[in-house]
Amino acid sequence: MGGFFGVTSKQDCVFDLYFGTDYHSHLGTRRAGMAVYSKDDGFDRAIHNIENAPFRTKFDKDVNKMHGYMGIGCISDYEPQPLIVRSHHGTYAIMTVGKINNTDEIIKQMFDSGHTHFLEMSGGDINATELVAAIINQKEHLVEGIQHAQDVIDGSMTIVLLTPKGIYAARDKMGRTPIAVGKKDDGYCISFESFAYLNLGYVAERELGPGEIVILTPEGIQTLAKPGEDMKICTFLWVYYGYPSSSYEGISVEEMRYECGKKLAQRDDASPDTVAGVPDSGTAHAIGYANESGIPFSRPFIKYTPTWPRSFMPTIQSKRNLIAKMKLIPVHELIQDKSLLLIDDSIVRGTQLRETTEFLYQSGAKEVHVRPACPPIIYGCKYLNFSRSTSEMDLITRRIIEQISGDYKNVHLEKFSNPDSPEYQGMIDEICKQLNFTSLRYHRLDDMIESVGLDPKKLCTYCWDGKE
């Protein structure tokens, strides 16, 4: 995953770019970059590793040196970007958010069609943003090249280019990730997160539609390719990785999470002493549950925010598990001899939630009832890199299904995604047993979709039901 921000201004844009990009720090922890353009100095760029220090700390010197009236910035959970590219289109800076499933196939086709090369990153991978630029450069015109890239890529791809003419912004053709546009007197901005420009004096202008391509200049915004009618925006935006103060397609993240908790409570028969959320993304779901059920909301453990401000953690799994435990501080008075109902945004591998549960038992909890705010994740995401799982067998559901079924190759996964089937209930019972919960009840897919409030046809639910 990653987040981005872009500015076109009649004044110097670096202040807005710096803080607008920083407001996306919850979407990545590995690399960050900014690129600016001015008529006098041309392109300038800075990229830093942010694994051990936040964005603002790493870029505080750059922000005082960089100048330009147009700029783009991004937070990336993997590859360094933006990249500066020189081609027959001229020089431009490019950044992307998405996932390419057919990288090797595209590279082979490009090698077969002519002599070219790519720079390898450590580990041998090709920078996905560099590959996108190479695909764009196969066409004579930028817009044609952008559309070509989105057509040949299996997965998803939102693309932002900074050129001397303006910023080209292209939302993924199925709208899986958002692009919001903000406006103020001296310019425009684009942003992954719709809240990121509010404190900078911008007001919401609109959101780009699926596949829409626009160009932003300090004077305005022009549509170069009209949006498509079909959309499959990622539902996990609301459930987990979207920031609480954001909204997508006009739907508030925070309100959706309240609604999720409300619907969880309406179907539940547990009688805990208090309701708690796993901070931070589980908190709003828990508030919604508490408001509906009348069971008090409490915070039996607190995340130590002074040095653990972000929810994303290192991608090395052994370190993730350690840090998940280290950053939560118990409040023993709210745990000792209490029956707790705990709401997390999801269960992926199960490791962290099992350790959190053990942490609560060791701190004196009598019972720990768990209510994930989304259905069981049964399929690995094909469209976004919101999880660093390298195999679907990393998912606790898949491991349990293999244990239950024995003949895993011929198992019908759809039976395990149907909350009314005996296979589903058997899977839930085994997860509950292995993770040592008092009880376990997942959010139903139909209730979660209703919590969002969009037409179900516009929502991607692939990781839960396998439907494209």
Side-chain angles (χ1 to χ4, degrees):
M1 273 305 298
F4 58 81
F5 197 78
V7 183
T8 58
S9 176
K10 296 173 184 176
Q11 312 295 328
D12 190 277
C13 74
V14 175
F15 179 91
D16 286 4
L17 180 64
Y18 174 71
F19 285 101
T21 304
D22 179 61
Y23 272 133
H24 291 83
S25 294
H26 57 290
L27 291 174
T29 59
R30 298 192 68 177
R31 302 287 185 272
M34 297 192 303
V36 296
Y37 175 81
S38 70
K39 291 180 180 178
D40 294 333
D41 301 322
F43 288 88
D44 190 13
R45 182 193 64 173
I47 293 178
H48 292 293
N49 182 318
I50 57 170
E51 289 177 289
N52 298 311
F55 175 88
R56 289 199 309 275
T57 302
K58 284 297 184 79
F59 285 85
D60 61 347
K61 294 181 180 178
D62 301 294
V63 75
N64 291 308
K65 296 177 181 178
M66 300 176 79
H67 299 285
Y69 64 95
M70 296 190 297
I72 59 175
C74 66
I75 304 285
S76 173
D77 214 29
Y78 188 50
E79 66 268 14
Q81 48 176 328
L83 303 180
I84 295 181
V85 176
R86 180 180 294 182
S87 74
H88 63 283
H89 297 301
T91 301
Y92 61 83
I94 179 173
M95 59 187 183
T96 65
V97 170
K99 184 177 182 180
I100 306 176
N101 297 316
N102 56 336
T103 296
D104 292 341
E105 177 186 334
I106 293 173
I107 291 173
K108 183 179 184 303
Q109 289 175 351
M110 297 186 75
F111 284 158
D112 290 344
S113 62
H115 299 294
T116 188
H117 74 276
F118 297 96
L119 300 177
E120 284 193 356
M121 298 188 296
S122 56
D125 291 338
I126 302 298
N127 187 318
T129 301
E130 181 185 1
L131 179 57
V132 171
I135 300 170
I136 291 172
N137 293 338
Q138 290 183 314
K139 298 297 181 179
E140 287 300 314
H141 303 288
L142 269 180
V143 173
E144 182 186 7
I146 291 169
Q147 291 177 317
H148 175 57
Q150 292 182 328
D151 285 341
V152 302
I153 288 170
D154 174 25
S156 72
M157 189 53 59
T158 288
I159 304 168
V160 178
L161 278 75
L162 170 64
T163 77
K165 293 181 179 179
I167 295 177
Y168 291 78
R171 186 176 177 184
D172 169 68
K173 65 180 182 179
M174 293 304 295
R176 298 187 188 278
T177 49
I179 298 183
V181 180
K183 177 185 178 181
K184 64 180 180 179
D185 290 342
D186 60 359
Y188 290 80
C189 71
I190 56 164
S191 181
F192 185 107
E193 294 283 34
S194 60
F195 78 90
Y197 51 70
L198 298 179
N199 287 345
L200 299 172
Y202 296 85
V203 296
E205 176 75 358
R206 66 184 182 90
E207 295 180 61
L208 299 195
E212 184 176 3
I213 303 175
V214 301
I215 183 170
L216 270 73
T217 66
E219 290 71 37
I221 176 173
Q222 178 185 357
T223 297
L224 304 177
K226 294 181 179 180
E229 295 183 0
D230 297 330
M231 181 169 69
K232 283 291 184 181
I233 187 170
C234 176
T235 312
F236 227 47
L237 277 165
W238 288 278
V239 174
Y240 170 47
Y241 62 80
Y243 205 70
S245 50
S246 258
S247 63
Y248 313 108
E249 303 301 321
I251 307 296
S252 162
V253 170
E254 186 79 350
E255 285 191 336
M256 183 274 182
R257 292 176 183 173
Y258 291 164
E259 193 65 22
C260 271
K262 174 183 175 180
K263 292 188 180 300
L264 274 168
Q266 289 172 346
R267 289 189 181 271
D268 210 351
D269 56 4
S271 300
D273 296 317
T274 61
V275 177
V278 176
D280 290 314
S281 49
T283 301
H285 298 291
I287 292 172
Y289 188 107
N291 289 344
E292 177 67 15
S293 67
I295 300 170
F297 171 81
S298 71
R299 297 197 296 165
F301 48 86
I302 312 295
K303 186 163 76 171
Y304 189 71
T305 55
T307 52
W308 304 105
R310 294 177 291 183
S311 58
F312 274 63
M313 296 182 296
T315 55
I316 301 172
Q317 189 58 34
S318 61
K319 299 299 182 183
R320 287 174 61 94
N321 298 339
L322 175 63
I323 290 171
K325 185 176 181 179
M326 287 172 59
K327 68 180 182 179
L328 297 178
I329 310 298
V331 182
H332 287 284
E333 294 81 357
L334 300 179
I335 300 174
Q336 186 71 41
D337 298 325
K338 300 287 187 182
S339 173
L340 305 176
L341 189 142
L342 189 62
I343 301 183
D344 204 355
D345 52 74
S346 60
I347 301 178
V348 181
R349 298 173 183 86
T351 310
Q352 292 176 23
L353 197 52
R354 180 179 65 240
E355 293 187 354
T356 299
T357 302
E358 290 300 324
F359 159 86
L360 290 171
Y361 284 136
Q362 291 168 9
S363 300
K366 183 171 61 176
E367 295 179 330
V368 181
H369 303 270
V370 174
R371 301 294 182 263
C374 72
I377 299 173
I378 295 178
Y379 303 85
C381 180
K382 296 171 60 176
Y383 306 106
L384 296 170
N385 284 316
F386 69 76
S387 170
R388 278 291 162 196
S389 295
T390 56
S391 166
E392 287 188 328
M393 294 308 295
D394 288 339
L395 301 172
I396 189 170
T397 52
R398 287 297 190 96
R399 299 197 303 272
I400 297 298
I401 291 170
E402 183 178 41
Q403 292 174 25
I404 293 174
S405 304
D407 184 13
Y408 183 73
K409 293 182 179 179
N410 297 314
V411 70
H412 297 287
L413 291 175
E414 63 274 9
K415 294 181 180 179
F416 292 90
S417 63
N418 178 3
D420 299 318
S421 72
E423 289 84 357
Y424 174 93
Q425 192 56 52
M427 175 182 70
I428 302 307
D429 290 344
E430 187 60 29
I431 293 173
C432 182
K433 177 182 176 182
Q434 291 196 16
L435 299 187
N436 198 25
F437 303 150
T438 304
S439 71
L440 173 63
R441 177 175 290 176
Y442 282 83
H443 206 14
R444 288 174 60 105
L445 183 59
D446 50 356
D447 285 348
M448 186 185 67
I449 290 172
E450 190 175 336
S451 299
V452 178
L454 286 179
D455 181 345
K457 294 179 181 178
K458 295 182 180 294
L459 295 171
C460 179
T461 56
Y462 178 80
C463 58
W464 298 296
D465 60 10
K467 296 180 180 179
E468 310 225 16

